[in-house]
Amino acid sequence: MIVGHDPYSGAMRRWVAIVLVASFLMASASPNVSAQISQPDIVQEHWYHSYATLTLDVNAWADEHPEIVNLIVVGQTELGRNLWMLQISDWSTDDLKPDGTKKEVVYIDGGHHGNEHLGTELAFLTAEYYIEGWYDGEQDVIDVLSTTELHILIMLNADGNDFDTRWNVNQVDLNRNYDHYWNTCPTTQPGSGAFSESETLANSIYMNTVVPDADLYVTMHTGVWIMLYPWGKWPEQPSDWELFHFIRDDVNSNISEIPIRNANQGLYPNCGTSRDYGYGVMGYPTFTFETDDEQFLLGTVEALSERLDEELDVMKYLIDNVWYWRARLFVDSMMIGDSEVHLAVSNLGRASTTNATLAYVTEERTWLPVGVSPEKSPCEVEGLEFNYSSPGCGFGVNATNSTEAVLDFGDAPISSGDGHFHLFYQKRVIDASTWVSEPVNDSIIENGNGNNRSLSSPSVFLSIACVLLAAFGNKDRDIKKH
């Protein structure tokens, strides 16, 4: 027996809800939603998922659409129910876009709180939109799935869902159980320690091992009609406030009037949340998507696809534009001399970066700028660290902006043509954000005499060096890290 919890109370509410909902099911089925694979529309549109019905639906999707749906189990709840993860993309090209670059990655989870059913249903409807859109040949969906991976865990707290309670079976609030300032805000039931619960531990492991470089993370809840971005612990705006404010203004101007605010100010102080863990530890741009405040019935008079239509439009906007939610640096021009490089760089993304530099990779080594005063303030310091803020070492580029920089490479053989230049930068301003190393297009590089360079394709060694260079900037991502 769980102290303070009656396992039959949720069941009783389910039967009450059956009586309430059954009286209008036949009259209010939506004719606009395509047929469900495993459940008829009249049930799907008006009845919130249980673990059993969700299991039927996600397995049917995987069976019917293996070309775009991978279904895996990423862990179990405390009572042993499977945590179903949908991986949705055009898998004919694996994790690559048609142009050979890596796909963008979107991570979505729902159902941290078992009785917040509309949040769980929004996660379900998001998956359904892209799966059925692919099946129906909708070009906008085909375009998204050819360039983007969707990873969707619809129901994290399956035990709490079936008991119709906020908590998991241990009476822990799963959205206070993450290792980002765990238990440092006034809160209830954060657990015995960060990741003490199997559900949150499994979710964090998936973040760290499968989608560590996600370009967007949305966690779905129910309670107040609002979207929340970091931080929950502090009222101050997050490092990437420009990105969050752009999304807020664009959504409010063109799609929905839903409030979009800092979580601490928009709701109340909250710590140990998956949203702040996703941003503060993983470096994702993150949102908590709160649907409206119905939490007590287990069905809805209004069809779900109509009730959550506006919220789904917001999700489609975030997913369709995911390419822009990071810094996207491109070298517009570059001129090299004996030791100096003059370059002009544009940022096509909506996120800024403050840590960017240029690297020259040869078979022998990777060369980085030496700075304006290498004797007094060298770029490279002890411990293989690099001082981007030292003059002549690195530069920053604001969102949708450009900059010019002059970098001195000292005695590096930059004019020899034996190596390749790479832009090395952080995707966002937040310290936890991913670093990338991207080759500079040789066709735009000019020598001091004005001639374009004509270099051979990178060798296998140089390709590996490029990957290692990106890893050079990454911080350890231990799941216990603050």
Side-chain angles (χ1 to χ4, degrees), residues 94-139:
D94 295 322
D95 62 348
L96 299 179
K97 300 178 185 179
D99 65 4
T101 59
K102 296 280 288 186
K103 292 177 179 175
E104 274 68 64
V105 175
V106 175
Y107 188 44
I108 297 169
D109 63 38
H112 272 80
H113 299 140
N115 63 348
E116 296 185 3
H117 301 288
L118 285 175
T120 302
E121 296 306 322
L122 181 57
F124 181 89
L125 288 175
T126 303
E128 178 184 65
Y129 173 80
Y130 287 97
I131 293 171
E132 295 197 350
W134 173 277
Y135 179 74
D136 293 338
E138 297 179 12
Q139 190 59 49

Side-chain angles (χ1 to χ4, degrees), residues 133-289:
W134 173 277
Y135 179 74
D136 293 338
E138 297 179 12
Q139 190 59 49
D140 59 338
V141 171
I142 293 172
D143 292 342
V144 167
L145 295 188
S146 68
T147 60
T148 309
E149 297 178 14
L150 305 179
H151 299 249
I152 306 179
L153 198 170
I154 295 173
M155 187 184 290
L156 182 70
N157 187 2
D159 299 342
N161 178 276
D162 282 6
F163 285 142
D164 194 32
T165 180
R166 176 183 180 88
W167 327 106
N168 77 342
V169 72
N170 296 330
Q171 288 204 332
V172 171
D173 185 334
L174 296 182
N175 203 36
R176 302 295 184 271
N177 191 235
Y178 287 80
D179 194 13
H180 185 270
Y181 292 91
W182 174 82
N183 201 25
T184 59
C185 294
T187 189
T188 57
Q189 306 297 84
S192 59
F195 300 132
S196 62
E197 309 307 296
S198 61
E199 297 92 344
T200 54
L201 180 62
N203 205 18
S204 69
I205 290 173
Y206 193 84
M207 291 181 185
N208 280 271
T209 59
V210 182
V211 291
D213 303 328
D215 300 286
L216 174 69
Y217 170 46
V218 182
T219 180
M220 296 176 172
H221 293 255
T222 305
V224 180
W225 195 57
I226 195 170
M227 289 177 65
L228 305 168
Y229 56 80
W231 301 101
K233 181 174 176 61
W234 309 283
E236 290 80 16
Q237 294 296 306
S239 303
D240 295 281
W241 64 269
E242 290 174 297
L243 170 63
F244 290 110
H245 286 197
F246 172 83
I247 292 174
R248 176 198 64 192
D249 295 344
D250 209 22
V251 168
N252 289 163
S253 297
N254 300 302
I255 302 171
S256 171
E257 294 180 353
I258 187 170
I260 303 177
R261 296 174 184 160
N262 161 279
N264 182 284
Q265 296 175 311
L267 200 58
Y268 45 73
N270 48 95
C271 300
T273 65
S274 70
R275 175 200 60 250
D276 285 3
Y277 178 82
Y279 183 66
V281 176
M282 301 305 303
Y284 310 146
T286 64
F287 288 96
T288 298
F289 203 137

Side-chain angles (χ1 to χ4, degrees), residues 1-18 79 81 159-165 169 171 296 298:
M1 173 77 65
I2 304 170
V3 178
H5 175 71
D6 178 4
Y8 296 103
S9 61
M12 287 296 294
R13 284 197 292 272
R14 281 196 183 276
W15 285 110
V16 171
I18 290 174
L79 289 181
R81 291 177 169 91
D159 299 342
N161 178 276
D162 282 6
F163 285 142
D164 194 32
T165 180
V169 72
Q171 288 204 332
F296 304 107
L298 298 175

Side-chain angles (χ1 to χ4, degrees), residues 294-465:
E294 181 182 285
Q295 293 178 267
F296 304 107
L297 293 178
L298 298 175
T300 174
V301 176
E302 184 182 6
L304 280 169
S305 61
E306 296 175 1
R307 183 167 185 171
L308 296 174
D309 181 62
E310 187 174 327
E311 290 84 349
L312 184 58
D313 282 346
V314 175
M315 285 305 303
K316 287 154 57 178
Y317 162 82
L318 291 173
I319 293 170
D320 289 353
N321 293 281
V322 68
W323 188 90
Y324 293 99
W325 308 149
R326 51 157 284 199
R328 295 278 181 180
L329 300 192
F330 289 86
V331 177
D332 299 315
S333 65
M334 180 187 295
M335 181 170 291
I336 61 173
D338 292 334
S339 64
E340 285 189 342
V341 176
H342 296 246
L343 73 161
V345 179
S346 293
N347 182 3
L348 304 185
R350 295 291 179 180
S352 299
T353 182
T354 56
N355 293 327
T357 194
L358 194 66
Y360 188 65
V361 182
T362 68
E363 296 283 354
E364 290 74 30
R365 59 173 288 186
T366 296
W367 303 79
L368 293 165
V370 297
V372 173
S373 302
E375 296 82 10
K376 297 180 179 180
S377 55
C379 299
E380 294 188 76
V381 294
E382 292 183 6
L384 294 179
E385 294 182 359
F386 191 84
N387 187 2
Y388 294 90
S389 61
S390 184
C393 294
F395 54 90
V397 194
N398 287 339
T400 62
N401 211 327
S402 60
T403 191
E404 295 183 359
V406 179
L407 303 175
D408 190 341
F409 280 79
D411 58 358
I414 58 174
S415 60
S416 67
D418 294 332
H420 292 265
F421 284 99
H422 294 266
L423 268 179
F424 179 47
Y425 64 97
Q426 203 168 17
K427 288 183 180 181
R428 301 176 192 92
V429 176
I430 183 71
D431 288 343
S433 184
T434 305
W435 294 77
V436 294
S437 179
E438 298 170 344
V440 176
N441 186 344
D442 287 334
S443 65
I444 58 94
I445 301 175
E446 293 184 354
N447 288 309
N449 59 13
N451 295 326
N452 284 8
R453 298 179 68 189
S454 178
L455 301 179
S456 59
S457 298
S459 67
V460 173
F461 173 85
L462 293 180
S463 299
I464 295 173

